[in-house]
Amino acid sequence: MALVTLEKIMKKRAFAPVLHSIVAALESSVVIEDVEGKLLLATYGAEKGDRYPVSVSGEVVGWVSGSEKAASIAMLLSCQAESEIEKRTLASEMLTKYKEITLLYDIVEKISSCLDTKEVARLVIEEARRVIKLSSVSVLLLNKETETLELIGEFGHDQEQPTVSWGVGIAGSVLSSGRAEIVNDVHSDPRFVEGVVTICSLMCAPLKAKDTVVGVIKLGSDQPVTYTAEDLKLFTTLASLAAVAIENAGLYEQLKEAFYTTVYTLAETIEKRDPYTGNHTKRVMEYSLAIGKNLGLSEQDMARLQLGAVLHDIGKIGVRDSVLLKESSLNDEEFEQIKKHAVYGEEIISRIASLQSAIPGVKHHHEKFNGRGYPDGLKGEEIDITARIIAVADSFDAMTTNRPYRQGLSLDEAFEELRKYSGSQFDPEIVDAFFAADVMEAFFAANSRQKIIL
Ligand SMILES: [Fe+2]
């Protein structure tokens, strides 16, 4: 069926008056009918004579009959119809291009600031679902050590096999060739792994960053469809953008890991001076994170809580050994020395831009909820939430750890102490969160290789 009807062409606002003027000027008999015989125009007193076809791309869409001049009208209508088809094709191509550009703009805007590989995969899957007909998508990253593809995101399920290896199956083949492919009949493809896949048609594109294939993205339909070269072009562009974003996110994750390793190393320097505190920093971090998770802290607050917990006692590096390592009770002057570690800690980390968010946790982890702590005597919510959490975690660990000069409290005794000082030393909301959180899980994990005090 033609994309246009003769009736619609004749009714075009710019063309209808021209047609009527020409027919009137011919002063001749003309009858115009569509292909099904519906009368569209007839001059007064017209009689049907010879019939001339109105054709579009070789298909007849109507007839003009009458005198010999009807042939010219048929030709005019055919030209107008062809022109209409060309306009529509052009408009359709422009619309496709517009959709493509909009997609690319959207995806670039969304993923360029994304620094998590799984989140990049999720966004790419979301965009692919929006613009391409599919029932499943999967994003697979290459594990260079095992030479297998690992799933980092999927919608639906289109895995050919649980693990995709280099050169094996369609995805493995795209991984090794580095070329995107359309497989419109998956089941007749020799690479198809029988009995596992449920899709009928698929497209698979390599995730290429700087000419290196780092994975593949694959989409498929569980109904037979014919993916076109245009679909593949769009999909390949999407894969290229995803590859760059995934590479950036991977580099950021490596950088983040290096940053945390440096921070832990920094924190360990203080622990090395006081071997009896062994792993205190790690335990305080784990207890703090368990409490923070229970309180539903934001990702940003959890990150600064983690940093603050790891670095909370970093200022002890500025305290003399004779005081820091003293096994008997401290006198007033020595206690004043110890108290300074909170401010020393702030001074040390304030020089490092990436550690600024940890300052409240480091400086104020000895503040008390009732305002009787140090160094600033802050109270209630004047004390940053990370510092209030670290205060509980730090005290719990200090209470339950054996020291050379005293035995640690039992768990029940430590719980009792936390309850006793809830509302005075500790924020009661944090103490409640401590008991509701999986702190005990963290406690037993942290103490699994140590003597558990019960
Ligand atoms: Fe401290």
Side-chain angles (χ1 to χ4, degrees), residues 399-415:
M399 287 189 277
T400 51
T401 307
N402 287 332
R403 301 289 289 177
Y405 49 88
R406 64 146 173 84
Q407 179 76 16
L409 300 183
S410 70
L411 271 180
D412 284 342
E413 287 167 337
F415 292 160

Side-chain angles (χ1 to χ4, degrees), residues 389-402:
I389 293 172
I390 296 167
V392 172
D394 188 25
S395 299
F396 175 70
D397 189 63
M399 287 189 277
T400 51
T401 307
N402 287 332

Side-chain angles (χ1 to χ4, degrees), residues 312-313 316 341 365-366 394:
H312 72 281
D313 273 345
K316 283 186 177 172
H341 81 277
H365 70 279
H366 286 291
D394 188 25

Side-chain angles (χ1 to χ4, degrees), residues 289-347:
L289 291 179
I291 297 169
K293 190 176 164 193
N294 180 267
L295 287 168
L297 293 195
S298 66
E299 202 177 318
Q300 201 178 11
D301 277 345
M302 287 294 276
R304 61 193 196 89
L305 174 62
Q306 183 172 4
L307 275 185
V310 171
L311 294 169
H312 72 281
D313 273 345
I314 192 71
K316 283 186 177 172
I317 209 159
V319 178
R320 293 195 310 269
D321 276 359
S322 59
V323 175
L324 185 70
L325 307 178
K326 190 175 176 185
E327 295 187 359
S328 54
S329 305
L330 299 175
N331 62 36
D332 289 350
E333 187 272 328
E334 288 165 338
F335 189 55
E336 286 306 313
Q337 274 292 311
I338 281 280
K339 281 163 70 175
K340 285 183 181 168
H341 81 277
V343 175
Y344 290 163
E346 181 210 7
E347 286 170 3

Side-chain angles (χ1 to χ4, degrees), residues 382-445:
E382 288 172 355
I383 310 164
D384 186 82
I385 182 85
T386 62
R388 279 179 276 149
I389 293 172
I390 296 167
V392 172
D394 188 25
S395 299
F396 175 70
D397 189 63
M399 287 189 277
T400 51
T401 307
N402 287 332
R403 301 289 289 177
Y405 49 88
R406 64 146 173 84
Q407 179 76 16
L409 300 183
S410 70
L411 271 180
D412 284 342
E413 287 167 337
F415 292 160
E416 192 47 44
E417 288 292 296
L418 288 181
R419 287 195 187 95
K420 184 176 169 187
Y421 292 105
S422 175
S424 54
Q425 182 174 349
F426 307 119
D427 178 346
E429 195 189 332
I430 307 289
V431 173
D432 289 347
F434 173 92
F435 286 111
D438 293 328
V439 175
M440 281 308 97
E441 201 175 294
F443 175 85
F444 287 116

